[in-house]
C-alpha cells in the first residue's frame, strides 16, 4: 500500500488529522488496533477549547457538535461551604463547550467513512520503519497477513502505551514524569446535572468534580486512593461521598441514580522530548499526559494536530519544510504551559497524603486569593479556555 501520511492510532487525534488532511487533498491511512465499537465505547473528556472547536469545523465535522453541545461560560470553585464563580466570557470573551470525546470520535469516524477515508481497524503488530530516511514505511498484520504501507510521513497518535514513542532511541529522548498519590473515581449516570456549570470542589475529604454530558447525562468524580477498585464503590457509597464534598445546597438538590459506567483513573503528568524523530511525529498521549483537573488532555492533543497539520499542508502545497522542522519546538512550548496549568489546578484542589497544616493554610490562601483577585481569575480563565496556538 502507498499513502502520503500514515497515521498510527484511530482515536480522535488520528481521525482528526486524517479528516483535516482529506479536506486539503492529502491522502492518509489510519491504523487502529481496536474495533470501531471499542474505540467508541471509551468514556473520556468532554470539555473542548475554542481551538479544538475551530479545528472540528475546519475539518467539516462540526455540525452535530454545534447543535448538541453545551456552551460553558464559566465554572464554580468551592472549598467547604464557600464557593465562587469565575466567568470565562467576562475575562476572555470566549467560552468552552461540553461535547463528549465519544461523540467527537463518532463524528470523525462517520466523516472518514462518508468520504472513503482509509481507516483500517483491528490491526496488530504495527511498526514504523526507516523514519530517518526519505522512504519511511509501516508494517502491520491484518487478517493474518503482513501488510507494508509506504508513506512520506508517519504520525504517532497511538497513546501512552503505543509503539511510536518507543521508536525514538532512549539516548535521544528525555521523559519527564510526575505521578500523583491518588486517582479519580468517575461515575456516569442518566441524571440531570446538579448545576449548569462545572463545580470543582476542594473539601477536607478530598476533591470532587460535578460535570455533565447533556441535560440528562451527568459525569461526577471523587478523589480516591490508588489502591481502590471500582467494585469497592457501590453507587450508594459514591453518592454519599460526593454529597459530603460539595456545598450543602448542591448536595440537597443532587439527583442520584444507577451508574451506567464507573472507572478509576490514576493521575500523571508526563512529557517526552523531542516529539519528532526523522519523519515520525508524536501527537497527543504518545508524547504527553496531563492530570484531568484542567480539562487539557484532549485539547493538548488537538494543538499537536494543529501544528502537524499546518506543517504538512505547508510541505505539500509550498514544498516548504519549515512547519515540520519546527513542529516539536512549537508543540512542546504550548504543552509545558498546559502541564503547568493542570499541575497547578491539581495542587490547588486535591488533598495530598503528606500535606502539613502549613500546606493546607497555603492552599486555602491560594483559593481565597483566587476568589478575590480579578487578575488571578483572568489567568485561570485564559488557560482554561485554551492558550492560542
Amino acid at each position: 500500500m502507498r499513502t502520503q501520511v500514515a497515521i498510527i492510532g484511530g482515536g480522535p487525534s488520528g481521525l482528526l488529522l486524517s479528516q483535516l488532511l482529506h479536506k486539503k487533498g492529502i491522502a492518509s491511512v489510519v491504523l487502529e488496533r481496536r474495533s470501531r465499537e471499542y474505540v467508541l465505547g471509551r468514556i473520556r473528556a468532554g470539555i473542548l477549547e475554542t481551538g479544538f472547536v475551530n479545528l472540528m469545523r475546519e475539518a467539516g465535522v462540526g455540525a452535530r457538535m454545534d447543535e448538541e453541545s453545551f456552551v460553558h461560560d464559566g465554572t464554580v470553585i468551592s472549598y467547604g461551604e464557600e464557593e465562587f464563580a469565575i466567568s470565562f466570557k467576562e475575562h476572555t470573551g470566549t467560552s468552552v463547550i461540553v461535547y463528549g470525546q465519544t461523540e467527537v470520535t463518532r463524528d470523525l469516524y462517520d466523516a472518514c467513512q462518508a468520504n472513503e477515508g482509509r481507516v483500517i481497524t483491528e490491526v496488530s503488530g504495527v511498526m514504523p520503519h526507516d523514519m530517518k530516511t526519505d522512504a519511511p514505511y509501516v508494517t502491520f498484520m491484518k487478517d493474518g497477513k503482513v501488510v507494508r504501507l509506504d508513506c512520506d510521513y508517519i504520525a504517532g497518535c497511538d497513546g501512552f502505551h503505543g509503539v511510536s514513542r518507543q521508536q525514538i532511541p532512549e539516548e535521544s529522548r528525555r521523559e519527564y514524569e510526575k505521578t500523583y498519590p491518588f486517582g479519580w473515581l468517575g461515575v456516569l449516570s442518566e441524571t440531570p446535572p446538579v448545576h449548569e456549570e462545572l463545580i470543582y470542589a476542594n473539601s477536607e475529604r478530598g476533591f470532587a468534580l460535578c460535570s455533565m454530558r447533556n441535560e440528562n447525562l451527568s459525569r461526577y468524580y471523587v478523589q480516591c486512593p490508588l489502591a481502590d477498585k471500582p467494585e469497592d464503590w457501590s453507587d450508594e457509597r459514591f453518592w454519599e461521598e460526593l454529597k459530603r464534598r460539595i456545598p450543602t445546597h448542591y448536595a440537597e438538590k443532587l439527583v442520584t441514580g444507577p451508574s451506567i459506567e464507573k472507572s478509576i483513573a490514576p493521575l500523571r503528568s508526563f512529557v517526552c522530548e523531542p516529539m519528532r524523530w526523522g519523519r515520525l511525529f508524536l501527537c497527543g498521549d504518545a508524547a504527553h499526559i496531563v492530570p484531568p483537573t484542567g480539562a487539557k488532555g484532549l485539547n493538548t492533543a488537538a494543538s499537536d494536530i494543529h501544528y502537524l497539520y499546518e506543517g504538512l499542508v505547508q510541505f505539500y502545497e509550498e514544498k516548504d519544510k519549515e512547519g515540520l522542522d519546527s513542529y516539536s519546538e512549537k508543540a512542546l512550548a504550548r504543552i509545558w504551559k498546559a502541564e503547568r496549568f493542570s499541575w497547578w489546578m491539581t495542587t490547588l484542589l486535591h488533598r495530598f497524603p503528606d500535606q502539613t497544616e502549613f500546606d493546607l493554610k497555603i492552599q486555602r490562601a491560594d483559593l481565597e486569593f483566587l476568589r478575590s483577585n480579578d487578575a488571578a481569575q483572568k489567568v485561570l480563565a485564559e488557560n482554561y479556555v485554551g492558550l492560542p496556538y
Side-chain angles (χ1 to χ4, degrees):
M1 297 174 63
R2 168 78 200 177
T3 192
Q4 290 171 295
V5 182
I7 301 173
I8 304 175
S13 299
L15 293 169
L16 178 59
L17 177 60
S18 180
Q19 179 64 10
L20 285 165
L21 293 174
H22 171 78
K23 299 291 281 188
K24 290 290 187 177
I26 300 169
S28 66
V29 171
V30 180
L31 304 174
E32 168 56 45
R33 67 189 183 94
R34 301 286 193 172
S35 66
R36 170 184 166 136
E37 291 70 30
Y38 180 91
V39 173
L40 292 178
R42 287 184 271 199
I43 304 297
R44 293 289 189 271
I47 304 294
L48 305 186
E49 296 175 354
T50 302
F52 192 107
V53 170
N54 290 338
L55 279 176
M56 289 285 284
R57 291 169 179 159
E58 186 175 351
V61 290
R64 192 166 73 96
M65 174 190 71
D66 287 334
E67 182 178 341
E68 298 181 9
S69 63
F70 282 71
V71 175
H72 277 251
D73 291 328
T75 192
V76 172
I77 295 178
S78 71
Y79 50 108
E81 290 296 322
E82 301 290 324
E83 68 178 280
F84 58 98
I86 296 178
S87 171
F88 304 149
K89 196 78 170 176
E90 177 184 329
H91 289 295
T92 70
T94 188
S95 308
V96 296
I97 70 167
V98 173
Y99 191 65
Q101 179 173 321
T102 302
E103 305 310 315
V104 168
T105 309
R106 179 175 286 110
D107 292 343
L108 289 164
Y109 257 122
D110 289 346
C112 285
Q113 288 185 329
N115 60 44
E116 297 183 355
R118 306 201 67 180
V119 182
I120 305 176
T121 58
E122 298 181 89
V123 301
S124 61
V126 177
M127 184 59 62
H129 303 269
D130 291 356
M131 290 83 70
K132 281 289 198 176
T133 74
D134 292 337
Y137 64 98
V138 180
T139 56
F140 60 95
M141 293 282 293
K142 177 66 176 177
D143 298 329
K145 297 178 181 178
V146 177
V147 182
R148 172 173 168 148
L149 174 62
D150 291 288
C151 57
D152 300 325
Y153 294 101
I154 303 169
C157 305
D158 50 346
F160 181 77
H161 298 290
V163 301
S164 296
R165 185 176 69 257
Q166 306 305 322
Q167 304 316 303
I168 303 178
E170 286 188 21
E171 63 271 16
S172 299
R173 75 176 191 263
R174 179 83 182 270
E175 296 183 352
Y176 304 84
E177 185 171 24
K178 177 180 179 60
T179 57
Y180 298 85
F182 42 72
W184 276 18
L185 170 66
V187 163
L188 192 67
S189 64
E190 292 178 329
T191 56
V194 70
H195 189 52
E196 61 189 17
E197 302 288 9
L198 273 66
I199 302 172
Y200 285 88
N202 175 317
S203 85
E204 62 181 15
R205 299 181 65 88
F207 169 80
L209 172 62
C210 302
S211 182
M212 72 286 291
R213 290 295 178 267
N214 58 47
E215 60 190 10
N216 197 46
L217 191 62
S218 297
R219 184 73 164 158
Y220 295 106
Y221 301 90
V222 296
Q223 175 186 345
C224 69
L226 283 172
D228 283 9
K229 298 180 176 61
E231 52 267 28
D232 297 332
W233 287 80
S234 65
D235 288 352
E236 182 181 9
R237 181 188 176 192
F238 174 84
W239 292 120
E240 287 305 310
E241 187 60 35
L242 177 63
K243 288 178 181 179
R244 292 188 181 105
R245 299 188 188 190
I246 59 178
T248 301
H249 69 100
Y250 291 124
E252 290 175 345
K253 67 177 185 178
L254 179 71
V255 178
T256 65
S259 62
I260 57 177
E261 195 271 342
K262 189 183 294 176
S263 58
I264 293 178
L267 271 64
R268 172 194 291 131
S269 298
F270 173 85
V271 180
C272 171
E273 296 184 350
M275 290 174 57
R276 178 190 182 181
W277 183 250
R279 296 203 170 205
L280 169 69
F281 298 85
L282 304 182
C283 301
D285 287 1
H288 47 81
I289 292 174
V290 292
T293 324
K296 292 288 158 246
L298 184 58
N299 291 300
T300 51
S303 67
D304 296 345
I305 296 304
H306 165 80
Y307 293 124
L308 182 54
Y309 163 61
E310 283 205 330
L312 289 166
V313 170
Q314 185 181 22
F315 169 74
Y316 283 111
E317 292 187 351
E318 304 171 23
K319 303 304 178 187
D320 185 348
K321 292 184 178 180
E322 188 280 327
L324 294 175
D325 290 341
S326 62
Y327 166 75
S328 183
E329 181 182 358
K330 286 180 180 177
L332 284 166
R334 191 179 189 277
I335 286 159
W336 276 112
K337 295 181 180 72
E339 291 279 350
R340 183 213 66 82
F341 178 66
S342 299
W343 161 84
W344 175 74
M345 285 279 283
T346 303
T347 304
L348 179 72
L349 295 167
H350 291 75
R351 291 299 168 106
F352 289 73
D354 59 350
Q355 273 179 314
T356 65
E357 288 297 318
F358 178 86
D359 296 331
L360 292 171
K361 286 288 189 180
I362 291 295
Q363 189 181 63
R364 185 175 182 90
D366 205 359
L367 284 160
E368 291 182 346
F369 179 76
L370 181 61
R371 178 177 189 164
S372 62
N373 189 278
D374 194 66
Q377 292 190 15
K378 181 177 174 64
V379 169
L380 185 149
E382 287 177 343
N383 280 272
Y384 202 96
V385 302
L387 298 174
Y389 291 160

